[in-house]
């Protein structure tokens, strides 16, 4: 099924080589990664973003206690270094030097440390707003065609790709169109790209916390009967909470006073991280495993949450998306060197081949963790505890797990 094309067939269109729908973290990362190709091959690249971009310099930056953050794996840091972006991002990045994995009510635990892998950090935690600011500061230096704020009102196959009619009254004809809008626009569905959706019957509750003692760069992943509970280290001694609830039970927790919320969290997590003293604004969203049945078509590629939305248990969502960005750019570079157009079937076939194994492994890993620790059975609980103890004792296996979580192995 294709979107209706009669509304844009007759409109004059500006030709562009690549149109990126979505200027958020994934779309902006792609635009930055395309910089060498833009200069080398004189590519015309357009970015369409529905939300107005903030106009502020670094001097206006004030870290918010309530800022949402993302875990950036070591592999993703290396990608950002390759793009010349990490130096700017590092200013607000908090290193993850240790990861502590445990199950409530069981003695077993696994500890991963950066020193074991001879790296400074296993990853970093970055406020999303700061990461976006660094990305858009770089984009301002590139010869991009910005359409912001603007939405894609309709799109249909054209002679050399897709024709896009925008809400700002302009029309583009793109050799390659990249859906990087997080799946929020409905374009994927209107193009007839179905998704497999597996609800977890869980809701993630997100908030920032003030803790009584320094976190020392330790991230915690604790499995409870209600679902995983994670704490990520932030700058200023804060920690970001990701607390999973069964669907329907989160409303009561969200409605608690701050003191009652902190008391309930302390009881669920324990005292390992110290005493929870303050909580910021609380947000929640339902959790499902969503994978698009198609991620490429001639002239079209799907990236980020539009392609796959994961459970946050292993913190792999954005890192998987960034590897997709880098693989797409590698396929484009190889195709352009051979004289192929960005939307050529061979180029996108190469991209899909690069992504298939990585995507499959990460989805299987994160989904398997949720399901393994979501089964409440005494014998299985003892087996999980023994497994965590065994994993902690077997150095090579533990280090292999760490390298995969860091995005250094696929």
């Amino acid at each position: 099924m294709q979107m209706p094309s009669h509304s844009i067939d007759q409109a004059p269109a500006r030709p562009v080589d690549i149109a990126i729908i979505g200027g958020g973290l994934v779309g902006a990362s792609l635009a930055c990664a395309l910089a060498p190709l833009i200069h080398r091959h004189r590519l015309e690249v357009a970015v369409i973003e529905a939300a107005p971009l903030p106009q502020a310099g670094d001097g206006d930056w004030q870290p918010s206690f309530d800022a949402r953050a993302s875990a950036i794996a070591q592999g993703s840091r290396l990608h950002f270094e390759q793009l010349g972006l990490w130096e700017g991002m590092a200013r607000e990045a908090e290193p993850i030097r240790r990861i502590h994995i445990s199950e409530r009510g069981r003695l077993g635990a696994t500890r991963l440390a950066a020193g074991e892998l001879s790296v400074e950090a296993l990853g970093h935690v970055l406020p999303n707003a700061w990461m976006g600011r660094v990305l858009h500061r770089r984009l301002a230096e590139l010869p991009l065609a910005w359409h912001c704020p603007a939405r894609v009102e309709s799109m249909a196959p054209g002679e050399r790709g897709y024709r896009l009619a925008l809400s700002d009254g302009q029309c583009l004809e793109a050799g390659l169109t990249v859906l990087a809008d997080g799946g929020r626009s409905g374009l994927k569905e209107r193009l007839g790209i179905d998704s497999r959706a597996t609800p977890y019957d869980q809701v993630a509750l997100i908030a920032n916390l003030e803790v009584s003692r320094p976190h020392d760069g330790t991230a915690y992943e604790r499995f409870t009967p209600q679902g995983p509970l994670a704490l990520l280290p932030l700058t200023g001694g804060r920690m970001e909470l990701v607390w999973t609830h069964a669907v329907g039970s989160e409303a009561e927790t969200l409605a608690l006073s701050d003191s009652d919320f902190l008391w309930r969290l302390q009881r669920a997590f324990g005292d390992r991280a110290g005493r929870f003293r303050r909580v910021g604004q609380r947000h929640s969203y339902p959790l499902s495993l969503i994978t698009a049945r198609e991620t490429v078509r001639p002239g079209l590629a799907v990236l980020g949450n539009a392609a796959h939305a994961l459970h946050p248990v292993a913190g792999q969502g954005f890192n998987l998306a960034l590897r997709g960005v880098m693989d797409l750019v590698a396929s484009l570079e190889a195709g352009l060197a051979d004289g192929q157009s960005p939307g050529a079937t061979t180029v996108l076939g190469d991209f899909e081949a690069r992504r298939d194994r990585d995507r499959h492994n990460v989805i299987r890993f994160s989904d398997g963790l949720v399901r393994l620790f979501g089964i409440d059975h005494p014998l299985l609980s003892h087996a999980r505890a023994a497994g965590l103890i065994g994993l902690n004792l077997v150095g090579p296996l533990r280090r292999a797990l760490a390298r995969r979580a860091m995005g250094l192995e696929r």
Side-chain angles (χ1 to χ4, degrees):
M1 183 179 76
Q2 301 291 346
M3 295 173 64
S5 61
H6 65 273
S7 61
I8 59 175
D9 279 343
Q10 305 305 318
R14 175 189 172 185
V16 297
D17 296 292
I18 301 172
I20 303 170
I21 302 175
L25 296 182
V26 175
S29 296
L30 174 60
C32 288
L34 286 171
L37 302 186
I38 291 173
H39 295 303
R40 189 179 309 133
H41 297 279
R42 300 185 181 277
L43 295 182
E44 294 284 338
V45 177
V47 181
I48 303 106
E49 169 56 40
L53 298 178
Q55 301 295 321
D58 290 353
D60 302 316
W61 172 257
Q62 293 294 330
S64 167
F65 184 84
D66 297 308
R68 296 283 300 275
S70 293
I72 303 300
Q74 178 70 358
S76 295
R77 170 190 169 161
L78 296 176
H79 287 317
F80 282 135
E81 285 183 344
Q82 178 184 341
L83 300 179
L85 296 167
W86 182 250
E87 183 177 355
M89 291 184 178
R91 187 182 115 181
E92 299 294 334
E94 184 68 19
I96 300 174
R97 296 190 176 91
R98 285 168 293 278
I99 300 176
H100 186 283
I101 307 168
S102 63
E103 182 174 9
R104 185 184 177 193
R106 303 293 170 188
L107 295 176
T110 292
R111 296 168 179 85
L112 309 174
E116 282 191 86
L117 286 90
S118 302
V119 295
E120 174 193 351
L122 298 168
H124 291 77
V125 185
L126 269 156
N128 290 351
W130 178 253
M131 189 161 32
R133 183 173 295 237
V134 173
L135 288 165
H136 286 106
R137 186 174 60 201
R138 171 63 176 133
L139 295 185
E141 302 169 354
L142 300 178
L144 302 171
W146 271 96
H147 298 269
C148 178
R151 300 179 307 279
V152 176
E153 299 285 2
S154 57
M155 61 184 291
E159 293 181 4
R160 56 182 301 271
Y162 277 81
R163 290 171 62 88
L164 314 176
L166 311 183
S167 61
D168 61 8
Q170 299 193 50
C171 186
L172 305 176
E173 186 174 35
L176 172 63
T177 298
V178 180
L179 286 183
D181 59 1
R184 294 181 296 271
S185 69
L187 288 172
K188 185 175 66 173
E189 291 73 19
R190 290 158 64 189
L191 285 167
I193 298 176
D194 296 328
S195 295
R196 301 180 186 90
T198 306
Y200 287 116
D201 296 323
Q202 293 179 340
V203 173
L205 194 155
I206 313 295
N208 286 352
L209 301 166
E210 181 183 288
V211 188
S212 64
R213 64 172 178 248
H215 52 60
D216 293 328
T218 301
Y220 297 92
E221 188 82 56
R222 188 158 175 78
F223 293 93
T224 77
Q226 291 74 38
L229 192 163
L231 290 174
L232 300 175
L234 294 169
T235 57
R238 299 166 300 132
M239 303 196 82
E240 177 165 275
L241 167 71
V242 183
W243 192 3
T244 305
H245 284 60
V247 168
S249 68
E250 81 283 358
E252 180 189 359
T253 305
L254 288 168
L256 292 172
S257 66
D258 286 358
S259 59
D260 288 343
F261 179 91
L262 293 172
W263 178 84
R264 183 170 294 186
L265 173 63
Q266 198 81 60
R267 195 172 73 166
F269 184 79
D271 298 329
R272 185 172 282 109
R275 305 300 297 178
F276 301 124
R277 290 177 168 173
R278 177 187 171 193
V279 61
Q281 294 179 10
R282 303 167 222 168
H283 310 273
S284 65
Y285 61 94
L287 298 176
S288 296
L289 171 61
I290 300 174
T291 55
R293 294 182 185 273
E294 298 174 79
T295 55
V296 296
R297 284 180 178 177
L300 181 71
V302 185
L303 286 181
N305 278 354
H308 39 67
L310 311 181
H311 196 291
V313 60
Q316 290 298 306
F318 177 72
N319 297 293
L320 181 64
L322 185 60
R323 293 199 294 275
V325 164
M326 302 305 288
D327 280 344
L328 178 57
V329 173
S331 295
L332 287 169
E333 185 169 22
L336 289 167
D338 287 341
Q340 300 179 66
S341 65
T345 302
T346 50
V347 172
L348 296 175
D350 178 70
F351 164 63
E352 181 65 8
R354 292 171 186 263
R355 296 304 310 134
D356 186 60
R357 180 182 177 186
D358 184 28
R359 183 171 57 231
H360 173 76
N361 286 343
V362 170
I363 290 173
R364 184 178 61 178
F365 173 66
S366 62
D367 184 59
L369 276 179
V370 176
R371 300 192 183 283
L372 174 63
F373 283 91
I375 300 173
D376 188 14
H377 188 281
L379 292 179
L380 187 56
S381 295
H382 288 299
R384 289 192 301 249
L388 288 173
I389 293 172
L391 183 60
N392 197 53
L393 294 175
V394 181
L397 185 59
R398 186 175 64 251
R399 287 189 287 274
L401 173 64
R403 288 187 63 82
R404 180 172 293 279
M406 292 165 65
L408 300 178
E409 293 181 357
R410 300 192 183 189

